[in-house]
């Protein structure tokens, strides 16, 4: 799909030729002047009149009437040159690519040079161009009998840049891999729960394992019973679908030491159980496996890029349903760790399945733990739907994850976890822990509870309840699943390996 060309002689044929423009005060460079020559200097008039705008994300399309090879020029505004961040660049790319998609273009080219600034180097621009192309043009196919429009795919993506071709190519492929894995996670999350059960999730993981040579282990209900995974089993009790504990191991080092454990909440549908959700709260609960999808997406990137790191991915998966067999408030259950839990709320099920997932990851050598979960509505109230909430017992580990998130533009914000918070989840007259002390600070309570199972192992909890889906389309994708944390987790793993020789 990607082509790299050194020179743009303006004769090459493509549907859309995309050029970045900065706002105000920029002299027309030599290159622009050359292009403008082909247009009898009308382009600079359009810039002056504002028809070609440098405002952030502004898209101006001009038909070339055959004056150059490309059918259309697409100018995308980047704001002020000095201020342009990677996030700005990505959003502008997204706006440009979505315009091409909407207009049903089938090929495009970008002039890389026009996007480069002192802050954002050519390889970063190339990576982000490919990544935001894959992300911004994503669609979930859905199940309509008839699609109104036949699909037009953008099949050719040309990059004009007079630099090191190999390096640019590598950067493009990296962006492509990151984008594609994020889209894989999006598709898992967008798939309804009648079509995506724990079993489907397990088969998907197995498929990844076959493709990338991961070790794959799927624990069945009987295995869980033997291991005493009473917390995961309790959540599954009301279900017609058997639970699965999905384990993928990627060994990127000689020895199975220094292992990162990624644990993803894989609730394929969350009714709340007997602590039933209100009817509006049920809609979209097919997305309650967003943590699992993030982990699987990250594993896809890891499989492609093979960093020198050991990773164990653990996904406890089931739906949370009601029946005569379902677990109930007041039940006391025994987790795999041996800790007993008084269930005060069956809707606080994520922390229960994660408890056993974390214990399992630790037993399989995880030296650091990151759990990802659509855990609480509380995190949305606290941070809105653009920030992932984080809780940790190890500030240095969280810092590494936040560093990774700054690379990917997926915002993470830390919530506190105090000794008093810990005491609240330890407060039960009849068990070691309770799963839902109160609604006060309940995003923190969720973290506090999971932390009891991480114990002394460095651990970060990421609550993606707010960030895993969006209500309406945005520059990097349509309404629905965002694939949040796929890129941050993968970046974290890659950087962890670099800093851990
Ligand atoms: N899956 C939900 C959290 C959630 C809410 C995700 C909204 C996405 C959007 C989780 O299992 C849950 O129900 N949490 C409860 C916790 C409470 C019972 C302590 C919540 O947030 O209300
Ligand atoms: Zn719930
Ligand atoms: Zn849930």
């Amino acid at each position: 799909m990607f082509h790299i060309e050194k020179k743009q002689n303006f004769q090459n044929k493509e549907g859309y030729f995309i050029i970045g423009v900065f706002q105000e005060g920029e002299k027309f460079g030599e290159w622009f002047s050359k292009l403008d020559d082909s247009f009898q200097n009308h382009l600079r008039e359009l810039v002056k009149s504002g028809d070609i705008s440098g405002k952030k994300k502004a898209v101006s399309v001009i038909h070339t009437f055959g004056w150059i090879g490309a059918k259309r020029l697409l100018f995308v505004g980047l704001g002020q040159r000095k201020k342009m961040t990677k996030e700005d660049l990505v959003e502008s790319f997204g706006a440009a690519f979505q315009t091409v998609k909407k207009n049903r273009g089938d090929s495009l080219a970008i002039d890389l040079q026009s996007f480069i600034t002192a802050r954002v180097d050519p390889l970063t621009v190339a990576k982000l161009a490919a990544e935001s192309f894959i992300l911004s043009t994503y669609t979930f196919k859905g199940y309509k009998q008839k699609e109104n429009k036949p699909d037009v795919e953008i099949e050719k993506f040309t990059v004009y840049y007079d630099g090191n071709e190999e390096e640019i190519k590598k950067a493009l492929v990296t962006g492509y891999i990151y984008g594609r894995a994020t889209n894989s996670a999006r598709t898992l999350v967008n798939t309804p729960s009648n079509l995506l059960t724990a079993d489907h999730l397990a088969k998907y993981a197995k498929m990844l394992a076959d493709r990338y040579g991961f070790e794959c282990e799927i624990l069945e209900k009987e295995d869980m019973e033997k291991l005493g995974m009473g917390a995961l089993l309790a959540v599954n009790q009301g279900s017609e679908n058997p639970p699965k504990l999905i384990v993928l191991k990627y060994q990127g080092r000689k020895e199975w030491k220094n292992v990162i454990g990624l644990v993803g909440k894989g609730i394929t549908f969350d009714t709340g159980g007997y602590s039933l959700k209100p009817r509006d709260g049920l809609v979209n609960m097919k997305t309650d496996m967003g943590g699992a999808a993030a982990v699987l997406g990250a594993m896809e990137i890891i499989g492609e890029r093979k960093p020198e790191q050991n990773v164990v991915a653990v996904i406890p998966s089931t739906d949370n349903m009601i029946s005569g067999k379902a677990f109930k408030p007041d039940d006391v259950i025994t987790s795999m760790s041996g800790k007993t839990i008084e269930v005060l709320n069956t809707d606080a099920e994520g922390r229960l399945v994660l408890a056993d997932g974390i214990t399992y990851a630790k037993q399989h050598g995880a030296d650091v733990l990151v759990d990802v979960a659509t855990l609480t509505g509380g995190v949305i109230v606290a941070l809105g739907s653009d920030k992932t909430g984080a809780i940790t017992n190890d500030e240095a580990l969280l810092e590494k994850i936040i560093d990774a998130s700054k690379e990917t533009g997926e915002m993470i914000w830390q919530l506190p976890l105090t000794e008093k918070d810990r005491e609240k989840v330890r407060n039960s007259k009849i068990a070691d822990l309770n799963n839902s002390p109160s609604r006060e600070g309940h995003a923190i309570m969720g973290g506090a509870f999971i932390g009891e199972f991480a114990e002394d192992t460095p651990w970060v909890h990421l609550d993606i309840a707010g960030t895993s889906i969006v209500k309406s389309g945005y520059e990097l994708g349509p309404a629905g699943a965002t694939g949040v944390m796929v890129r941050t987790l993968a970046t974290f793993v890659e950087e962890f390996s670099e800093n851990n020789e």
Side-chain angles (χ1 to χ4, degrees):
M1 174 196 299
F2 295 113
H3 301 260
I4 301 165
E5 306 246 351
K6 288 213 184 281
K7 290 258 168 341
Q8 163 61 293
N9 59 12
F10 306 129
Q11 293 313 313
N12 296 341
K13 296 211 182 318
E14 44 239 346
Y16 286 79
F17 183 35
I18 301 177
I19 301 162
V21 274
F22 289 96
Q23 207 170 1
E24 78 211 19
E26 286 220 90
K27 296 224 171 66
F28 301 114
E30 188 191 331
W31 184 86
F32 185 85
S33 298
K34 257 195 201 153
L35 175 65
D36 202 15
D37 284 347
S38 310
F39 288 86
Q40 301 183 353
N41 295 330
H42 287 314
L43 289 180
R44 74 184 59 211
E45 280 166 33
L46 293 177
V47 173
K48 280 183 190 144
S49 68
D51 288 283
I52 293 174
S53 167
K55 270 200 199 136
K56 228 185 266 180
K57 296 190 269 182
V59 173
S60 324
V61 179
I62 290 158
H63 203 284
T64 62
F65 301 109
W67 285 356
I68 63 168
K71 253 204 174 133
R72 291 175 183 84
L73 290 177
L74 188 156
F75 293 93
V76 60
L78 300 168
Q80 287 174 17
R81 178 180 281 277
K82 277 202 187 119
K83 290 196 181 150
M84 188 187 79
T85 62
K86 280 187 292 187
E87 288 76 29
D88 295 333
L89 176 65
V90 156
E91 289 189 354
S92 295
F93 271 142
F97 298 139
Q98 284 178 347
T99 304
V100 175
K101 183 181 161 86
K102 199 174 82 211
N103 295 352
R104 309 171 63 64
D106 60 3
S107 62
L108 60 82
I110 65 168
D111 172 48
L112 200 76
Q113 188 65 43
S114 64
F115 295 92
I116 297 166
T117 69
R119 265 163 82 174
V120 191
D121 61 90
L123 295 183
T124 305
V125 173
K127 176 186 172 221
L128 293 179
E131 183 177 292
S132 38
F133 171 63
I134 300 296
L135 290 176
S136 63
T137 57
Y138 169 79
T139 45
F140 180 65
K141 255 191 162 10
Y143 310 94
K144 288 176 195 281
Q145 279 197 66
K146 256 197 216 139
E147 265 304 324
N148 296 335
K149 299 171 195 162
D151 268 358
V152 177
E153 296 279 333
I154 300 167
E155 270 159 11
K156 196 169 174 210
F157 188 118
T158 308
V159 174
Y160 292 108
Y161 186 62
D162 195 4
N164 183 325
E165 203 165 311
E166 266 319 295
E167 283 183 348
I168 294 287
K169 182 138 214 162
K170 257 199 208 149
L172 289 169
V173 169
T174 303
Y176 176 79
I177 289 169
Y178 269 72
R180 200 186 58 169
T182 306
N183 286 350
S184 305
R186 287 171 165 182
T187 295
L188 288 174
V189 174
N190 284 329
T191 304
S193 74
N194 60 330
L195 305 175
L196 190 98
T197 60
D199 187 47
H200 289 103
L201 215 48
K203 292 210 166 86
Y204 180 87
K206 180 86 180 39
M207 182 273 292
L208 281 186
D210 291 345
R211 196 197 292 166
Y212 297 118
F214 301 143
E215 201 181 300
C216 176
E217 187 186 17
I218 310 291
L219 299 194
E220 306 293 338
K221 191 170 173 175
E222 305 75 59
D223 305 317
M224 295 171 199
E225 280 162 356
K226 277 188 207 129
L227 290 167
M229 294 187 163
L232 172 54
L233 285 166
V235 176
N236 178 255
Q237 248 169 243
S239 176
E240 292 291 326
N241 298 312
K244 304 278 165 180
L245 187 101
I246 301 161
V247 186
L248 291 175
K249 277 188 191 166
Y250 165 73
Q251 186 162 351
R253 291 166 177 259
K254 284 207 184 73
E255 290 176 68
W256 189 247
K257 284 200 306 210
N258 258 309
V259 181
I260 299 175
L262 303 178
V263 185
K265 172 177 173 181
I267 298 293
T268 57
F269 193 85
D270 182 11
T271 68
Y274 276 100
S275 311
L276 186 61
K277 287 184 181 296
R279 70 182 79 168
D280 292 341
L282 285 162
V283 178
N284 272 333
M285 278 304 135
K286 68 173 181 184
T287 66
D288 212 17
M289 31 58 72
V295 169
L296 291 170
M299 290 306 284
E300 181 177 328
I301 298 174
I302 289 162
E304 289 283 349
R305 291 176 53 78
K306 309 221 180 300
E308 280 182 33
Q309 186 54 257
N310 296 328
V311 183
V312 59
V314 177
I315 295 169
S317 183
T318 172
D319 46 11
N320 182 22
M321 304 294 286
I322 293 177
S323 83
K325 289 192 193 137
F327 79 138
K328 306 172 294 302
D330 286 352
D331 285 0
V332 172
I333 59 183
T334 305
S335 66
M336 186 186 182
S337 71
K339 288 189 163 81
T340 57
I341 305 161
E342 182 181 10
V343 176
L344 296 182
N345 192 325
T346 60
D347 197 11
E349 85 297 340
R351 63 200 72 181
L352 297 176
V353 303
L354 288 169
D356 284 345
I358 293 243
T359 303
Y360 194 80
K362 276 173 59 171
Q363 289 194 359
H364 282 72
D367 299 295
V368 300
L369 289 162
V370 185
D371 81 78
V372 200
T374 48
L375 205 77
T376 65
V379 81
I380 315 175
V381 178
L383 300 177
S385 46
D386 61 344
K387 293 169 217 78
T388 292
I391 289 173
T392 188
N393 63 7
D394 188 297
E395 298 295 328
L397 179 64
L398 177 58
E399 206 176 301
K400 285 187 179 161
I401 292 187
I402 290 182
D403 284 349
S405 80
K406 286 180 181 156
E407 288 287 307
T408 61
E410 301 185 308
M411 256 188 290
I412 292 178
W413 204 262
Q414 183 179 12
L415 300 171
L417 174 58
T418 67
E419 205 44 42
K420 285 217 166 90
D421 296 322
R422 292 196 182 92
E423 279 162 21
K424 284 184 190 149
V425 299
R426 290 176 191 150
N427 180 19
S428 164
K429 289 212 169 57
I430 58 172
D432 298 324
L433 302 168
N434 81 81
N435 80 329
S436 179
S438 77
R439 291 202 71 81
E440 273 180 32
H442 76 265
I444 295 172
M445 292 304 125
F449 183 90
I450 298 166
E452 292 299 302
F453 297 86
E455 298 178 306
D456 294 333
T457 306
W459 150 82
V460 170
H461 159 65
L462 297 171
D463 192 338
I464 57 169
T467 46
S468 67
I469 52 174
V470 276
K471 287 205 183 74
S472 43
Y474 64 123
E475 291 81 8
L476 288 184
T482 58
V484 74
M485 291 299 128
V486 168
R487 289 172 293 145
T488 297
L489 287 179
T491 304
F492 161 70
V493 169
E494 294 203 41
E495 285 178 356
F496 197 85
S497 79
E498 282 161 22
N499 301 330
N500 205 26
E501 292 311 322

